[in-house]
Amino acid sequence: MPSVVWSMIKQIQGLHHITSLASDAQENNGFFTEVLGLRRVKKTVNFDRPDVYHLYYGDEIGTPGSVMTYFPIPDISKGHAGTGEVGTSVFSVPEGSLPYWEDRLEGLGIEELTKTVRFGETRLGFRGSDGDGFALVEQPGDARAPWAGSDIGNDFALRGFHSATFRVKDADATAELLRFMGYELAENESNHQRFRIAGGNGADIIDISSMPTANDAEQGSGSVHHIAFSVKDRQAQLDVREALVDTGYSVTPVIDRDYFWAIYFRTPGGIFFEVATDEPGFDRDEDTAHLGEALKLPSQHAHLREKLERDLPPIAG
Ligand code: ZN
């Protein structure tokens, strides 16, 4: 009889980043920097497809748990929401700031503003420039510092992720995986389960929505491509990788993404997970004062610079 060793993973510290697909780099950049007031902390390319940008937005230095990233692909088809994906990426805002955000987003013509209450929290839902699902939730006592370089004051600015909501057909296998990763069930509400990780980086919550009769998602612009969880360093990542492999997950080797190391695996609910290191960070090849300004290329694509600078669409701002 095989012995099952429940060596629960203890190295996960909450979310690291969420990566989505977009259709237009300029619109995407405007949405995150001008509408939401995040900082672009890196302008690079998709390491596996260097003719496509990889744009990173976050707080001043792109602290793990604050980082939303995009692959803008000009000829991409539109995504269709469904199961097997991250449905909503939720940012934390200060207590009392939702009326400001409602006015701001309405004034800027942002689509499909909604107000719902889930787990006792009011969430202001809205759509990104490709129909992406976002929401803001007031998180009292969130000590994370916002990017101070936007026109949005400290009393209102985004602090980083509050949570992400998964849409799956059957919550059980995903719930079991989250427990294995160190999350604990915090609350149940109708078809939603809230999981929280203790001692996390602030981006500590995953909500699972079970939607047994919904269609599968079709990935395209406005879809989340993958969601990344944070570990402190490479040793923690190797420990996590070993635990996942021992449990039967098929996990990629460690991949150098220049600003972090990454491993990836497909989850039972269909969502693509990454585990990324907090080291070395986005300031490894740029001064903090100038993060995100220049086109940075990984060494394997450095020889393409002239072509990429000519062919990639320019991004103003
Ligand atoms: Zn990633």
Side-chain angles (χ1 to χ4, degrees), residues 31-32 34-38 92-94 96-108 110 113 124 126 136-138 150-153 155-159:
F31 187 80
F32 281 90
E34 289 161 31
V35 176
L36 295 185
L38 296 183
S92 164
V93 291
S97 67
L98 278 191
Y100 165 87
W101 279 103
E102 203 175 350
D103 283 354
R104 180 180 176 92
L105 296 176
E106 213 164 60
L108 292 168
I110 302 307
L113 286 186
L124 178 64
F126 57 100
L136 303 177
V137 169
E138 293 179 2
S150 78
D151 66 322
I152 301 168
D155 292 344
F156 308 114
L158 272 57
R159 263 41 185 188

PDB file of all heavy atoms in Angstrom, residues 31-32 34-38 92-94 96-108 110 113 124 126 136-138 150-153 155-159:
ATOM      1  N   PHE A  31      -4.681  51.950 -19.439  1.00  0.00           N
ATOM      2  CA  PHE A  31      -5.634  51.489 -18.440  1.00  0.00           C
ATOM      3  C   PHE A  31      -4.955  51.316 -17.085  1.00  0.00           C
ATOM      4  O   PHE A  31      -5.457  51.761 -16.046  1.00  0.00           O
ATOM      5  CB  PHE A  31      -6.269  50.164 -18.890  1.00  0.00           C
ATOM      6  CG  PHE A  31      -7.383  49.713 -17.994  1.00  0.00           C
ATOM      7  CD1 PHE A  31      -8.651  50.257 -18.119  1.00  0.00           C
ATOM      8  CD2 PHE A  31      -7.154  48.775 -17.006  1.00  0.00           C
ATOM      9  CE1 PHE A  31      -9.675  49.874 -17.269  1.00  0.00           C
ATOM     10  CE2 PHE A  31      -8.176  48.381 -16.157  1.00  0.00           C
ATOM     11  CZ  PHE A  31      -9.433  48.929 -16.285  1.00  0.00           C
ATOM     12  N   PHE A  32      -3.796  50.686 -17.078  1.00  0.00           N
ATOM     13  CA  PHE A  32      -3.155  50.404 -15.791  1.00  0.00           C
ATOM     14  C   PHE A  32      -2.461  51.612 -15.186  1.00  0.00           C
ATOM     15  O   PHE A  32      -2.500  51.804 -13.971  1.00  0.00           O
ATOM     16  CB  PHE A  32      -2.225  49.189 -15.899  1.00  0.00           C
ATOM     17  CG  PHE A  32      -3.034  47.941 -15.843  1.00  0.00           C
ATOM     18  CD1 PHE A  32      -3.516  47.374 -17.007  1.00  0.00           C
ATOM     19  CD2 PHE A  32      -3.414  47.414 -14.635  1.00  0.00           C
ATOM     20  CE1 PHE A  32      -4.351  46.271 -16.959  1.00  0.00           C
ATOM     21  CE2 PHE A  32      -4.248  46.319 -14.571  1.00  0.00           C
ATOM     22  CZ  PHE A  32      -4.722  45.741 -15.738  1.00  0.00           C
ATOM     23  N   GLU A  34      -2.893  55.033 -16.149  1.00  0.00           N
ATOM     24  CA  GLU A  34      -3.692  56.257 -16.015  1.00  0.00           C
ATOM     25  C   GLU A  34      -5.008  56.028 -15.287  1.00  0.00           C
ATOM     26  O   GLU A  34      -5.432  56.852 -14.477  1.00  0.00           O
ATOM     27  CB  GLU A  34      -3.947  56.868 -17.397  1.00  0.00           C
ATOM     28  CG  GLU A  34      -2.677  57.476 -17.974  1.00  0.00           C
ATOM     29  CD  GLU A  34      -2.754  57.670 -19.486  1.00  0.00           C
ATOM     30  OE1 GLU A  34      -3.879  57.909 -19.973  1.00  0.00           O
ATOM     31  OE2 GLU A  34      -1.713  57.557 -20.140  1.00  0.00           O
ATOM     32  N   VAL A  35      -5.701  54.945 -15.585  1.00  0.00           N
ATOM     33  CA  VAL A  35      -6.987  54.700 -14.920  1.00  0.00           C
ATOM     34  C   VAL A  35      -6.753  54.161 -13.509  1.00  0.00           C
ATOM     35  O   VAL A  35      -7.264  54.696 -12.526  1.00  0.00           O
ATOM     36  CB  VAL A  35      -7.863  53.725 -15.744  1.00  0.00           C
ATOM     37  CG1 VAL A  35      -9.152  53.419 -14.992  1.00  0.00           C
ATOM     38  CG2 VAL A  35      -8.154  54.312 -17.122  1.00  0.00           C
ATOM     39  N   LEU A  36      -5.963  53.101 -13.392  1.00  0.00           N
ATOM     40  CA  LEU A  36      -5.790  52.458 -12.078  1.00  0.00           C
ATOM     41  C   LEU A  36      -4.612  53.024 -11.281  1.00  0.00           C
ATOM     42  O   LEU A  36      -4.494  52.753 -10.083  1.00  0.00           O
ATOM     43  CB  LEU A  36      -5.632  50.941 -12.244  1.00  0.00           C
ATOM     44  CG  LEU A  36      -6.856  50.209 -12.799  1.00  0.00           C
ATOM     45  CD1 LEU A  36      -6.624  48.696 -12.799  1.00  0.00           C
ATOM     46  CD2 LEU A  36      -8.123  50.539 -12.008  1.00  0.00           C
ATOM     47  N   GLY A  37      -3.738  53.779 -11.936  1.00  0.00           N
ATOM     48  CA  GLY A  37      -2.659  54.435 -11.206  1.00  0.00           C
ATOM     49  C   GLY A  37      -1.548  53.520 -10.737  1.00  0.00           C
ATOM     50  O   GLY A  37      -0.862  53.808  -9.754  1.00  0.00           O
ATOM     51  N   LEU A  38      -1.343  52.412 -11.451  1.00  0.00           N
ATOM     52  CA  LEU A  38      -0.187  51.569 -11.125  1.00  0.00           C
ATOM     53  C   LEU A  38       1.039  52.084 -11.886  1.00  0.00           C
ATOM     54  O   LEU A  38       0.925  52.888 -12.811  1.00  0.00           O
ATOM     55  CB  LEU A  38      -0.470  50.109 -11.509  1.00  0.00           C
ATOM     56  CG  LEU A  38      -1.609  49.415 -10.744  1.00  0.00           C
ATOM     57  CD1 LEU A  38      -1.728  47.957 -11.168  1.00  0.00           C
ATOM     58  CD2 LEU A  38      -1.414  49.520  -9.241  1.00  0.00           C
ATOM     59  N   SER A  92      -6.825  45.578  -3.667  1.00  0.00           N
ATOM     60  CA  SER A  92      -7.122  46.147  -2.359  1.00  0.00           C
ATOM     61  C   SER A  92      -7.007  47.663  -2.420  1.00  0.00           C
ATOM     62  O   SER A  92      -6.023  48.205  -2.937  1.00  0.00           O
ATOM     63  CB  SER A  92      -6.098  45.595  -1.353  1.00  0.00           C
ATOM     64  OG  SER A  92      -6.066  46.350  -0.171  1.00  0.00           O
ATOM     65  N   VAL A  93      -8.033  48.345  -1.886  1.00  0.00           N
ATOM     66  CA  VAL A  93      -7.994  49.810  -1.776  1.00  0.00           C
ATOM     67  C   VAL A  93      -8.307  50.179  -0.326  1.00  0.00           C
ATOM     68  O   VAL A  93      -8.881  49.384   0.415  1.00  0.00           O
ATOM     69  CB  VAL A  93      -8.990  50.488  -2.752  1.00  0.00           C
ATOM     70  CG1 VAL A  93      -8.532  50.311  -4.197  1.00  0.00           C
ATOM     71  CG2 VAL A  93     -10.409  49.966  -2.565  1.00  0.00           C
ATOM     72  N   PRO A  94      -7.926  51.406   0.090  1.00  0.00           N
ATOM     73  CA  PRO A  94      -8.115  51.774   1.501  1.00  0.00           C
ATOM     74  C   PRO A  94      -9.593  51.875   1.899  1.00  0.00           C
ATOM     75  O   PRO A  94     -10.460  52.102   1.056  1.00  0.00           O
ATOM     76  CB  PRO A  94      -7.442  53.140   1.609  1.00  0.00           C
ATOM     77  CG  PRO A  94      -6.488  53.194   0.469  1.00  0.00           C
ATOM     78  CD  PRO A  94      -7.133  52.416  -0.631  1.00  0.00           C
ATOM     79  N   GLY A  96     -12.980  53.245   2.913  1.00  0.00           N
ATOM     80  CA  GLY A  96     -13.669  54.495   2.573  1.00  0.00           C
ATOM     81  C   GLY A  96     -13.393  55.001   1.166  1.00  0.00           C
ATOM     82  O   GLY A  96     -13.861  56.084   0.787  1.00  0.00           O
ATOM     83  N   SER A  97     -12.625  54.250   0.367  1.00  0.00           N
ATOM     84  CA  SER A  97     -12.217  54.785  -0.945  1.00  0.00           C
ATOM     85  C   SER A  97     -13.109  54.332  -2.102  1.00  0.00           C
ATOM     86  O   SER A  97     -12.949  54.834  -3.224  1.00  0.00           O
ATOM     87  CB  SER A  97     -10.760  54.400  -1.238  1.00  0.00           C
ATOM     88  OG  SER A  97     -10.645  53.002  -1.426  1.00  0.00           O
ATOM     89  N   LEU A  98     -14.055  53.428  -1.863  1.00  0.00           N
ATOM     90  CA  LEU A  98     -14.856  52.946  -3.002  1.00  0.00           C
ATOM     91  C   LEU A  98     -15.679  54.036  -3.689  1.00  0.00           C
ATOM     92  O   LEU A  98     -15.775  54.038  -4.919  1.00  0.00           O
ATOM     93  CB  LEU A  98     -15.743  51.761  -2.601  1.00  0.00           C
ATOM     94  CG  LEU A  98     -15.080  50.376  -2.567  1.00  0.00           C
ATOM     95  CD1 LEU A  98     -16.128  49.286  -2.413  1.00  0.00           C
ATOM     96  CD2 LEU A  98     -14.222  50.094  -3.802  1.00  0.00           C
ATOM     97  N   PRO A  99     -16.281  54.992  -2.933  1.00  0.00           N
ATOM     98  CA  PRO A  99     -17.015  56.072  -3.635  1.00  0.00           C
ATOM     99  C   PRO A  99     -16.108  56.856  -4.596  1.00  0.00           C
ATOM    100  O   PRO A  99     -16.523  57.213  -5.701  1.00  0.00           O
ATOM    101  CB  PRO A  99     -17.521  56.961  -2.489  1.00  0.00           C
ATOM    102  CG  PRO A  99     -17.631  56.022  -1.327  1.00  0.00           C
ATOM    103  CD  PRO A  99     -16.474  55.066  -1.483  1.00  0.00           C
ATOM    104  N   TYR A 100     -14.877  57.111  -4.165  1.00  0.00           N
ATOM    105  CA  TYR A 100     -13.917  57.785  -5.059  1.00  0.00           C
ATOM    106  C   TYR A 100     -13.736  56.968  -6.339  1.00  0.00           C
ATOM    107  O   TYR A 100     -13.764  57.500  -7.451  1.00  0.00           O
ATOM    108  CB  TYR A 100     -12.559  57.947  -4.348  1.00  0.00           C
ATOM    109  CG  TYR A 100     -11.420  58.290  -5.290  1.00  0.00           C
ATOM    110  CD1 TYR A 100     -11.142  59.611  -5.627  1.00  0.00           C
ATOM    111  CD2 TYR A 100     -10.629  57.270  -5.862  1.00  0.00           C
ATOM    112  CE1 TYR A 100     -10.102  59.919  -6.509  1.00  0.00           C
ATOM    113  CE2 TYR A 100      -9.595  57.571  -6.745  1.00  0.00           C
ATOM    114  CZ  TYR A 100      -9.339  58.888  -7.063  1.00  0.00           C
ATOM    115  OH  TYR A 100      -8.323  59.194  -7.940  1.00  0.00           O
ATOM    116  N   TRP A 101     -13.556  55.666  -6.195  1.00  0.00           N
ATOM    117  CA  TRP A 101     -13.292  54.813  -7.352  1.00  0.00           C
ATOM    118  C   TRP A 101     -14.510  54.703  -8.253  1.00  0.00           C
ATOM    119  O   TRP A 101     -14.382  54.666  -9.481  1.00  0.00           O
ATOM    120  CB  TRP A 101     -12.808  53.437  -6.897  1.00  0.00           C
ATOM    121  CG  TRP A 101     -11.350  53.477  -6.561  1.00  0.00           C
ATOM    122  CD1 TRP A 101     -10.774  53.502  -5.314  1.00  0.00           C
ATOM    123  CD2 TRP A 101     -10.270  53.569  -7.502  1.00  0.00           C
ATOM    124  NE1 TRP A 101      -9.415  53.584  -5.421  1.00  0.00           N
ATOM    125  CE2 TRP A 101      -9.078  53.625  -6.756  1.00  0.00           C
ATOM    126  CE3 TRP A 101     -10.198  53.613  -8.898  1.00  0.00           C
ATOM    127  CZ2 TRP A 101      -7.822  53.717  -7.370  1.00  0.00           C
ATOM    128  CZ3 TRP A 101      -8.954  53.695  -9.519  1.00  0.00           C
ATOM    129  CH2 TRP A 101      -7.786  53.754  -8.754  1.00  0.00           C
ATOM    130  N   GLU A 102     -15.674  54.690  -7.639  1.00  0.00           N
ATOM    131  CA  GLU A 102     -16.889  54.626  -8.445  1.00  0.00           C
ATOM    132  C   GLU A 102     -16.984  55.876  -9.328  1.00  0.00           C
ATOM    133  O   GLU A 102     -17.234  55.784 -10.533  1.00  0.00           O
ATOM    134  CB  GLU A 102     -18.094  54.518  -7.510  1.00  0.00           C
ATOM    135  CG  GLU A 102     -19.289  53.918  -8.174  1.00  0.00           C
ATOM    136  CD  GLU A 102     -20.433  53.707  -7.188  1.00  0.00           C
ATOM    137  OE1 GLU A 102     -20.245  53.854  -5.961  1.00  0.00           O
ATOM    138  OE2 GLU A 102     -21.528  53.398  -7.686  1.00  0.00           O
ATOM    139  N   ASP A 103     -16.737  57.026  -8.716  1.00  0.00           N
ATOM    140  CA  ASP A 103     -16.772  58.298  -9.474  1.00  0.00           C
ATOM    141  C   ASP A 103     -15.689  58.306 -10.553  1.00  0.00           C
ATOM    142  O   ASP A 103     -15.932  58.691 -11.689  1.00  0.00           O
ATOM    143  CB  ASP A 103     -16.495  59.490  -8.548  1.00  0.00           C
ATOM    144  CG  ASP A 103     -17.705  59.849  -7.714  1.00  0.00           C
ATOM    145  OD1 ASP A 103     -18.777  59.245  -7.940  1.00  0.00           O
ATOM    146  OD2 ASP A 103     -17.559  60.713  -6.831  1.00  0.00           O
ATOM    147  N   ARG A 104     -14.497  57.903 -10.163  1.00  0.00           N
ATOM    148  CA  ARG A 104     -13.370  57.959 -11.102  1.00  0.00           C
ATOM    149  C   ARG A 104     -13.599  57.044 -12.300  1.00  0.00           C
ATOM    150  O   ARG A 104     -13.444  57.462 -13.452  1.00  0.00           O
ATOM    151  CB  ARG A 104     -12.079  57.552 -10.373  1.00  0.00           C
ATOM    152  CG  ARG A 104     -10.832  57.585 -11.262  1.00  0.00           C
ATOM    153  CD  ARG A 104      -9.595  57.164 -10.471  1.00  0.00           C
ATOM    154  NE  ARG A 104      -8.426  57.110 -11.331  1.00  0.00           N
ATOM    155  CZ  ARG A 104      -7.579  58.118 -11.536  1.00  0.00           C
ATOM    156  NH1 ARG A 104      -7.780  59.274 -10.923  1.00  0.00           N
ATOM    157  NH2 ARG A 104      -6.534  57.995 -12.327  1.00  0.00           N
ATOM    158  N   LEU A 105     -13.989  55.809 -12.023  1.00  0.00           N
ATOM    159  CA  LEU A 105     -14.155  54.844 -13.114  1.00  0.00           C
ATOM    160  C   LEU A 105     -15.331  55.233 -14.002  1.00  0.00           C
ATOM    161  O   LEU A 105     -15.243  55.154 -15.237  1.00  0.00           O
ATOM    162  CB  LEU A 105     -14.338  53.431 -12.550  1.00  0.00           C
ATOM    163  CG  LEU A 105     -13.127  52.869 -11.774  1.00  0.00           C
ATOM    164  CD1 LEU A 105     -13.453  51.508 -11.169  1.00  0.00           C
ATOM    165  CD2 LEU A 105     -11.883  52.766 -12.670  1.00  0.00           C
ATOM    166  N   GLU A 106     -16.411  55.718 -13.369  1.00  0.00           N
ATOM    167  CA  GLU A 106     -17.570  56.168 -14.148  1.00  0.00           C
ATOM    168  C   GLU A 106     -17.180  57.348 -15.032  1.00  0.00           C
ATOM    169  O   GLU A 106     -17.487  57.370 -16.216  1.00  0.00           O
ATOM    170  CB  GLU A 106     -18.679  56.587 -13.182  1.00  0.00           C
ATOM    171  CG  GLU A 106     -20.076  56.324 -13.679  1.00  0.00           C
ATOM    172  CD  GLU A 106     -21.046  56.400 -12.512  1.00  0.00           C
ATOM    173  OE1 GLU A 106     -21.127  57.465 -11.864  1.00  0.00           O
ATOM    174  OE2 GLU A 106     -21.682  55.369 -12.239  1.00  0.00           O
ATOM    175  N   GLY A 107     -16.456  58.293 -14.436  1.00  0.00           N
ATOM    176  CA  GLY A 107     -16.020  59.490 -15.163  1.00  0.00           C
ATOM    177  C   GLY A 107     -15.110  59.155 -16.343  1.00  0.00           C
ATOM    178  O   GLY A 107     -15.059  59.887 -17.332  1.00  0.00           O
ATOM    179  N   LEU A 108     -14.379  58.066 -16.244  1.00  0.00           N
ATOM    180  CA  LEU A 108     -13.452  57.683 -17.312  1.00  0.00           C
ATOM    181  C   LEU A 108     -14.099  56.715 -18.302  1.00  0.00           C
ATOM    182  O   LEU A 108     -13.438  56.191 -19.199  1.00  0.00           O
ATOM    183  CB  LEU A 108     -12.191  57.057 -16.707  1.00  0.00           C
ATOM    184  CG  LEU A 108     -11.314  58.049 -15.917  1.00  0.00           C
ATOM    185  CD1 LEU A 108     -10.250  57.320 -15.105  1.00  0.00           C
ATOM    186  CD2 LEU A 108     -10.666  59.065 -16.860  1.00  0.00           C
ATOM    187  N   ILE A 110     -15.399  53.742 -17.808  1.00  0.00           N
ATOM    188  CA  ILE A 110     -15.101  52.312 -17.625  1.00  0.00           C
ATOM    189  C   ILE A 110     -16.407  51.529 -17.609  1.00  0.00           C
ATOM    190  O   ILE A 110     -17.390  51.941 -17.000  1.00  0.00           O
ATOM    191  CB  ILE A 110     -14.316  52.092 -16.310  1.00  0.00           C
ATOM    192  CG1 ILE A 110     -13.018  52.903 -16.339  1.00  0.00           C
ATOM    193  CG2 ILE A 110     -14.042  50.616 -16.076  1.00  0.00           C
ATOM    194  CD1 ILE A 110     -12.140  52.699 -17.543  1.00  0.00           C
ATOM    195  N   LEU A 113     -19.670  48.790 -14.454  1.00  0.00           N
ATOM    196  CA  LEU A 113     -19.447  48.953 -13.018  1.00  0.00           C
ATOM    197  C   LEU A 113     -20.564  48.238 -12.268  1.00  0.00           C
ATOM    198  O   LEU A 113     -21.733  48.423 -12.570  1.00  0.00           O
ATOM    199  CB  LEU A 113     -19.477  50.435 -12.644  1.00  0.00           C
ATOM    200  CG  LEU A 113     -18.290  51.305 -13.029  1.00  0.00           C
ATOM    201  CD1 LEU A 113     -18.460  52.695 -12.437  1.00  0.00           C
ATOM    202  CD2 LEU A 113     -16.996  50.698 -12.544  1.00  0.00           C
ATOM    203  N   LEU A 124     -16.430  46.511  -5.877  1.00  0.00           N
ATOM    204  CA  LEU A 124     -16.761  47.322  -7.040  1.00  0.00           C
ATOM    205  C   LEU A 124     -16.157  46.629  -8.258  1.00  0.00           C
ATOM    206  O   LEU A 124     -14.938  46.612  -8.441  1.00  0.00           O
ATOM    207  CB  LEU A 124     -16.174  48.732  -6.855  1.00  0.00           C
ATOM    208  CG  LEU A 124     -16.391  49.716  -7.998  1.00  0.00           C
ATOM    209  CD1 LEU A 124     -17.882  50.024  -8.186  1.00  0.00           C
ATOM    210  CD2 LEU A 124     -15.623  51.021  -7.707  1.00  0.00           C
ATOM    211  N   PHE A 126     -15.580  45.933 -12.349  1.00  0.00           N
ATOM    212  CA  PHE A 126     -15.466  46.703 -13.598  1.00  0.00           C
ATOM    213  C   PHE A 126     -14.690  45.881 -14.614  1.00  0.00           C
ATOM    214  O   PHE A 126     -14.126  44.838 -14.293  1.00  0.00           O
ATOM    215  CB  PHE A 126     -14.788  48.058 -13.373  1.00  0.00           C
ATOM    216  CG  PHE A 126     -13.408  47.983 -12.765  1.00  0.00           C
ATOM    217  CD1 PHE A 126     -12.269  48.089 -13.556  1.00  0.00           C
ATOM    218  CD2 PHE A 126     -13.244  47.797 -11.395  1.00  0.00           C
ATOM    219  CE1 PHE A 126     -11.000  48.017 -12.995  1.00  0.00           C
ATOM    220  CE2 PHE A 126     -11.977  47.711 -10.825  1.00  0.00           C
ATOM    221  CZ  PHE A 126     -10.855  47.827 -11.636  1.00  0.00           C
ATOM    222  N   LEU A 136     -12.494  46.025  -7.052  1.00  0.00           N
ATOM    223  CA  LEU A 136     -11.793  46.669  -5.951  1.00  0.00           C
ATOM    224  C   LEU A 136     -12.544  46.347  -4.670  1.00  0.00           C
ATOM    225  O   LEU A 136     -13.772  46.374  -4.645  1.00  0.00           O
ATOM    226  CB  LEU A 136     -11.768  48.200  -6.142  1.00  0.00           C
ATOM    227  CG  LEU A 136     -11.151  48.738  -7.429  1.00  0.00           C
ATOM    228  CD1 LEU A 136     -11.290  50.260  -7.477  1.00  0.00           C
ATOM    229  CD2 LEU A 136      -9.680  48.337  -7.518  1.00  0.00           C
ATOM    230  N   VAL A 137     -11.788  46.048  -3.619  1.00  0.00           N
ATOM    231  CA  VAL A 137     -12.377  45.783  -2.304  1.00  0.00           C
ATOM    232  C   VAL A 137     -11.605  46.602  -1.275  1.00  0.00           C
ATOM    233  O   VAL A 137     -10.374  46.646  -1.315  1.00  0.00           O
ATOM    234  CB  VAL A 137     -12.295  44.276  -1.953  1.00  0.00           C
ATOM    235  CG1 VAL A 137     -12.646  44.032  -0.486  1.00  0.00           C
ATOM    236  CG2 VAL A 137     -13.222  43.460  -2.844  1.00  0.00           C
ATOM    237  N   GLU A 138     -12.345  47.260  -0.383  1.00  0.00           N
ATOM    238  CA  GLU A 138     -11.675  47.980   0.706  1.00  0.00           C
ATOM    239  C   GLU A 138     -11.118  46.966   1.696  1.00  0.00           C
ATOM    240  O   GLU A 138     -11.829  46.093   2.160  1.00  0.00           O
ATOM    241  CB  GLU A 138     -12.678  48.897   1.424  1.00  0.00           C
ATOM    242  CG  GLU A 138     -13.161  50.037   0.553  1.00  0.00           C
ATOM    243  CD  GLU A 138     -14.173  50.929   1.269  1.00  0.00           C
ATOM    244  OE1 GLU A 138     -14.461  50.670   2.456  1.00  0.00           O
ATOM    245  OE2 GLU A 138     -14.666  51.864   0.624  1.00  0.00           O
ATOM    246  N   SER A 150       1.255  58.406  -9.258  1.00  0.00           N
ATOM    247  CA  SER A 150       0.073  58.660 -10.078  1.00  0.00           C
ATOM    248  C   SER A 150      -0.668  59.869  -9.523  1.00  0.00           C
ATOM    249  O   SER A 150      -0.250  60.468  -8.536  1.00  0.00           O
ATOM    250  CB  SER A 150      -0.857  57.444 -10.058  1.00  0.00           C
ATOM    251  OG  SER A 150      -1.598  57.421  -8.850  1.00  0.00           O
ATOM    252  N   ASP A 151      -1.783  60.235 -10.164  1.00  0.00           N
ATOM    253  CA  ASP A 151      -2.568  61.368  -9.676  1.00  0.00           C
ATOM    254  C   ASP A 151      -3.530  60.952  -8.566  1.00  0.00           C
ATOM    255  O   ASP A 151      -4.324  61.738  -8.100  1.00  0.00           O
ATOM    256  CB  ASP A 151      -3.355  61.997 -10.842  1.00  0.00           C
ATOM    257  CG  ASP A 151      -4.420  61.047 -11.385  1.00  0.00           C
ATOM    258  OD1 ASP A 151      -4.146  59.829 -11.459  1.00  0.00           O
ATOM    259  OD2 ASP A 151      -5.527  61.507 -11.719  1.00  0.00           O
ATOM    260  N   ILE A 152      -3.467  59.694  -8.171  1.00  0.00           N
ATOM    261  CA  ILE A 152      -4.389  59.162  -7.163  1.00  0.00           C
ATOM    262  C   ILE A 152      -3.705  59.268  -5.810  1.00  0.00           C
ATOM    263  O   ILE A 152      -2.586  58.800  -5.645  1.00  0.00           O
ATOM    264  CB  ILE A 152      -4.727  57.690  -7.473  1.00  0.00           C
ATOM    265  CG1 ILE A 152      -5.367  57.593  -8.859  1.00  0.00           C
ATOM    266  CG2 ILE A 152      -5.649  57.106  -6.399  1.00  0.00           C
ATOM    267  CD1 ILE A 152      -5.475  56.185  -9.388  1.00  0.00           C
ATOM    268  N   GLY A 153      -4.354  59.896  -4.849  1.00  0.00           N
ATOM    269  CA  GLY A 153      -3.716  60.116  -3.552  1.00  0.00           C
ATOM    270  C   GLY A 153      -3.571  58.838  -2.745  1.00  0.00           C
ATOM    271  O   GLY A 153      -4.177  57.808  -3.048  1.00  0.00           O
ATOM    272  N   ASP A 155      -4.806  58.128  -0.022  1.00  0.00           N
ATOM    273  CA  ASP A 155      -6.051  57.668   0.611  1.00  0.00           C
ATOM    274  C   ASP A 155      -6.868  56.750  -0.294  1.00  0.00           C
ATOM    275  O   ASP A 155      -7.845  56.154   0.165  1.00  0.00           O
ATOM    276  CB  ASP A 155      -6.938  58.857   1.005  1.00  0.00           C
ATOM    277  CG  ASP A 155      -6.319  59.664   2.131  1.00  0.00           C
ATOM    278  OD1 ASP A 155      -5.397  59.155   2.785  1.00  0.00           O
ATOM    279  OD2 ASP A 155      -6.764  60.810   2.351  1.00  0.00           O
ATOM    280  N   PHE A 156      -6.502  56.691  -1.573  1.00  0.00           N
ATOM    281  CA  PHE A 156      -7.327  55.938  -2.520  1.00  0.00           C
ATOM    282  C   PHE A 156      -6.559  54.875  -3.312  1.00  0.00           C
ATOM    283  O   PHE A 156      -7.151  53.949  -3.857  1.00  0.00           O
ATOM    284  CB  PHE A 156      -7.975  56.901  -3.527  1.00  0.00           C
ATOM    285  CG  PHE A 156      -8.710  58.046  -2.888  1.00  0.00           C
ATOM    286  CD1 PHE A 156      -8.259  59.352  -3.042  1.00  0.00           C
ATOM    287  CD2 PHE A 156      -9.844  57.817  -2.129  1.00  0.00           C
ATOM    288  CE1 PHE A 156      -8.938  60.407  -2.448  1.00  0.00           C
ATOM    289  CE2 PHE A 156     -10.536  58.865  -1.531  1.00  0.00           C
ATOM    290  CZ  PHE A 156     -10.068  60.169  -1.688  1.00  0.00           C
ATOM    291  N   ALA A 157      -5.255  55.031  -3.393  1.00  0.00           N
ATOM    292  CA  ALA A 157      -4.477  54.245  -4.369  1.00  0.00           C
ATOM    293  C   ALA A 157      -4.476  52.743  -4.072  1.00  0.00           C
ATOM    294  O   ALA A 157      -4.548  52.311  -2.918  1.00  0.00           O
ATOM    295  CB  ALA A 157      -3.040  54.756  -4.404  1.00  0.00           C
ATOM    296  N   LEU A 158      -4.368  51.964  -5.129  1.00  0.00           N
ATOM    297  CA  LEU A 158      -4.334  50.503  -5.032  1.00  0.00           C
ATOM    298  C   LEU A 158      -3.121  50.036  -4.215  1.00  0.00           C
ATOM    299  O   LEU A 158      -2.014  50.521  -4.421  1.00  0.00           O
ATOM    300  CB  LEU A 158      -4.251  49.880  -6.431  1.00  0.00           C
ATOM    301  CG  LEU A 158      -5.569  49.603  -7.179  1.00  0.00           C
ATOM    302  CD1 LEU A 158      -6.409  50.859  -7.336  1.00  0.00           C
ATOM    303  CD2 LEU A 158      -5.287  48.976  -8.528  1.00  0.00           C
ATOM    304  N   ARG A 159      -3.329  49.068  -3.352  1.00  0.00           N
ATOM    305  CA  ARG A 159      -2.276  48.543  -2.484  1.00  0.00           C
ATOM    306  C   ARG A 159      -1.643  47.274  -3.012  1.00  0.00           C
ATOM    307  O   ARG A 159      -0.652  46.793  -2.437  1.00  0.00           O
ATOM    308  CB  ARG A 159      -2.885  48.235  -1.118  1.00  0.00           C
ATOM    309  CG  ARG A 159      -2.716  49.301  -0.061  1.00  0.00           C
ATOM    310  CD  ARG A 159      -2.905  50.680  -0.546  1.00  0.00           C
ATOM    311  NE  ARG A 159      -2.611  51.639   0.528  1.00  0.00           N
ATOM    312  CZ  ARG A 159      -2.821  52.931   0.453  1.00  0.00           C
ATOM    313  NH1 ARG A 159      -3.303  53.471  -0.649  1.00  0.00           N
ATOM    314  NH2 ARG A 159      -2.526  53.729   1.451  1.00  0.00           N
TER     315      ARG A 159
END
